[in-house]
Amino acid sequence: MPDPRPFTWTDAAYLEQRASVDWRRVPVSIYEVHLGSWRRRADGGFMSYDQLAEQLIPYAADQGFTHIELLPISEHPFDPSWGYQPTGLYAPTARFGDPEGFARFVDQAHAAGLGVILDWVPAHFPTDEHGLARFDGTALYEHLDPRKGYHPDWNTAIYNFGRKEVVSYLVNNALFWLERFHIDGLRVDAVASMLYLDYSRKAGEWVPNQFGGNHNLEAVEFLRRVNAEAYRLHPGVMMIAEESTSWSGVSAPVHAGGLGFGFKWNMGFMNDTLRYMSRNPIHRRYHHNDLTFAALYAYAENFILPLSHDEVVHGKGSLLSKMGGDDWQQFAGLRAYYGFMWGWPGKKLLFMGQEFAQREEWNEARSLDWYLLDAPSHEGVRRLIADLNAVYRELPALNARDNEPEGFEWLIGNDHQNSVFAFVRRAPGKAR
């Protein structure tokens, strides 16, 4: 049983300061972490929340990140799901200790000036018998009709967002993490799968909405409600959408007809720029637009530029291995790519291990390869990320107008032949 006594928080000053921040106009650099594989104990076991607080928090702060984002820590039975198949939405996983241990982790992060963002999964839930599926013998939390209630991609059940009890359960779960554990933001997983009734479905495998369209109107209203409530009750938090389509107004306010998120992951930037960097330099002149295209829509939403865990698993290799050329060229390419990204408009997100150029793709069953830091090439990349974060945080031109077109201007954007790019970033009040 968890300790019934209330936890004694020491982060009042941090929360008070957070409430007044407009995150669009200040530095946001996020270190995305899977707690089970950032570092392991010598015997191969999981570290506790307290051990992680002792090691991860100073490391992330020293690297100059502003936030740590945790892959889902809601209780889940299957390690290789990375937490994206949660069964206990109201319980921090016991893999790393008790709920108070997690509270201490957040409290210590705040003491170090770091925010904590959680990945949150309201899009679907696993069909394990000990979970919510057929909870009372009927389709209580999910849709009865599999065309609406079954997710073909993940073999999971989809919440019935038209049932007020289900919406209440999920909205209150979001507020639970913000209130009970002082979480600084939620990154909502797989939003695209919630918005579209025909997501990953062929003709005849989905049911249109009341107007004959493919938008899940009930899910849209759910997202608007959870965002509105989170911002109303917890000023200064960040609600972030992982949304991979061109849905309009994801990060526009609810009162303006948007979904009400504060930020959206820019998946297009990630895909286009990594594709460009993987090409042989001699061929890049024919794909110049892969690095410039993001400027055309950079202000359509409040964007976070993610180099996330999804890019370094399932045979995709590490970021270092995606770069073209021999070993020296790969390191040079990765350093140049990081420099480009930290200069580009948008908040930053980097998955653990990529800050020191992890060579192997991520494996959730073991620790990152920390021994690589003994090599100057890897240690140099780690220092580069710390320096980029420091410059990004110190220069208003690089952060205060991340989401405003006045903060960016091309100087050289069309030198295809030489693959040269040059642009200027400006702080508010700085004329040309």
Side-chain angles (χ1 to χ4, degrees):
M1 282 288 291
D3 189 334
R5 293 170 297 182
F7 181 75
T8 304
W9 292 90
T10 65
D11 61 352
Y14 181 91
L15 296 182
E16 184 179 351
Q17 190 270 336
R18 184 191 77 179
S20 64
V21 173
D22 180 353
W23 289 110
R24 297 170 301 169
R25 295 186 170 96
V26 297
V28 175
S29 185
I30 302 168
Y31 188 48
E32 187 190 30
V33 174
H34 176 256
L35 288 180
S37 58
W38 181 72
R39 190 173 277 163
R40 293 279 182 109
R41 294 201 323 244
D43 63 2
F46 292 126
M47 286 186 151
S48 69
Y49 288 121
D50 289 315
Q51 289 170 317
L52 287 160
E54 193 175 90
Q55 298 186 35
L56 169 58
I57 288 169
Y59 176 80
D62 186 59
Q63 283 293 115
F65 291 101
T66 63
H67 292 75
I68 298 172
E69 178 177 326
L70 304 179
L71 270 59
I73 61 145
S74 296
E75 194 58 88
H76 52 283
F78 188 50
D79 284 351
S81 80
W82 315 331
Y84 290 101
Q85 300 270 19
T87 52
L89 259 60
Y90 284 80
T93 177
R95 286 168 176 78
F96 315 116
D98 60 16
E100 283 65 33
F102 180 61
R104 286 192 296 273
F105 176 90
V106 177
D107 200 44
Q108 289 179 49
H110 289 170
L114 286 168
V116 179
I117 299 167
L118 292 189
D119 279 15
W120 186 56
V121 189
H124 62 111
F125 60 96
T127 52
D128 303 64
E129 289 186 359
H130 53 269
L132 295 177
R134 297 272 168 173
F135 191 70
D136 65 349
T138 70
L140 190 66
Y141 284 85
E142 68 272 41
H143 281 280
L144 178 62
D145 188 335
R147 293 174 299 171
K148 298 170 75 175
Y150 175 74
H151 207 300
D153 283 1
W154 302 310
N155 188 31
T156 51
I158 298 172
Y159 288 104
N160 182 348
F161 299 109
R163 182 168 281 176
K164 64 179 183 293
E165 295 89 349
V166 173
V167 169
S168 178
Y169 168 79
L170 291 170
V171 170
N172 282 302
N173 182 245
L175 299 177
F176 163 81
W177 290 105
L178 301 176
E179 179 181 323
R180 179 77 181 271
F181 289 102
H182 292 200
I183 296 302
D184 300 284
L186 299 174
R187 175 270 201 187
V188 184
D189 182 59
V191 171
S193 74
M194 301 170 68
L195 295 175
Y196 297 97
L197 294 164
D198 59 349
Y199 184 89
S200 277
R201 297 178 191 272
K202 302 185 185 74
E205 294 179 350
W206 59 283
V207 181
N209 64 32
Q210 66 196 71
F211 304 109
N214 67 339
H215 292 173
N216 187 334
L217 303 177
E218 294 162 342
V220 169
E221 284 309 305
F222 160 71
L223 290 169
R224 286 174 171 160
R225 180 174 166 194
V226 74
N227 286 328
E229 289 296 291
Y231 281 117
R232 181 178 70 85
L233 293 168
H234 300 280
V237 297
M238 264 190 267
M239 298 296 289
I240 303 165
E242 185 216 14
E243 203 283 311
S244 53
T245 75
S246 55
W247 184 283
S248 178
V250 172
S251 59
V254 171
H255 63 76
L259 291 182
F261 286 97
F263 292 95
K264 170 179 167 169
W265 274 21
N266 191 338
M267 318 291 273
F269 172 88
M270 175 173 69
N271 294 329
D272 292 349
T273 56
L274 283 175
R275 185 168 60 243
Y276 178 91
M277 293 303 299
S278 70
R279 297 188 189 281
N280 187 309
I282 201 71
H283 299 141
R284 288 176 181 169
R285 66 187 65 178
Y286 306 111
H287 304 278
H288 198 77
N289 290 351
D290 278 347
L291 234 58
T292 61
F293 182 61
L296 297 179
Y297 63 89
Y299 310 102
E301 303 278 359
N302 301 324
F303 280 125
I304 291 173
L305 311 179
L307 295 176
S308 74
H309 66 279
D310 280 328
E311 292 312 300
V312 293
V313 289
H314 300 324
K316 294 179 183 177
S318 65
L319 291 187
L320 182 67
S321 70
K322 294 178 193 289
M323 303 294 125
D326 60 23
D327 200 58
W328 186 94
Q329 290 170 311
Q330 286 184 317
F331 274 98
L334 187 62
R335 292 192 301 267
Y337 180 48
Y338 284 155
F340 177 84
M341 174 172 156
W342 259 254
W344 194 258
K347 308 308 179 186
K348 324 302 176 192
L349 180 143
L350 195 62
F351 182 57
M352 64 180 199
Q354 305 315 322
E355 80 279 7
F356 61 81
Q358 171 96 357
R359 286 184 179 272
E360 301 298 319
E361 74 172 24
W362 173 51
N363 180 347
E364 91 287 333
R366 63 183 185 84
S367 168
L368 296 177
D369 295 328
W370 292 100
Y371 65 86
L372 292 173
L373 288 173
D374 292 337
S377 53
H378 292 276
E379 168 63 10
V381 173
R382 185 199 66 75
R383 288 168 56 189
L384 171 68
I385 293 297
D387 289 345
L388 287 173
N389 274 334
V391 171
Y392 171 64
R393 294 176 70 160
E394 289 165 10
L395 296 180
L398 291 179
N399 62 65
R401 277 184 158 169
D402 270 331
N403 306 115
E404 301 167 23
E406 296 83 2
F408 177 89
E409 181 187 353
W410 279 115
L411 298 179
I412 302 171
N414 56 3
D415 188 356
H416 295 243
Q417 288 304 313
N418 297 304
S419 297
V420 169
F421 305 84
F423 53 84
V424 64
R425 297 290 307 279
R426 291 195 179 88
K430 298 292 184 183
R432 182 173 176 181

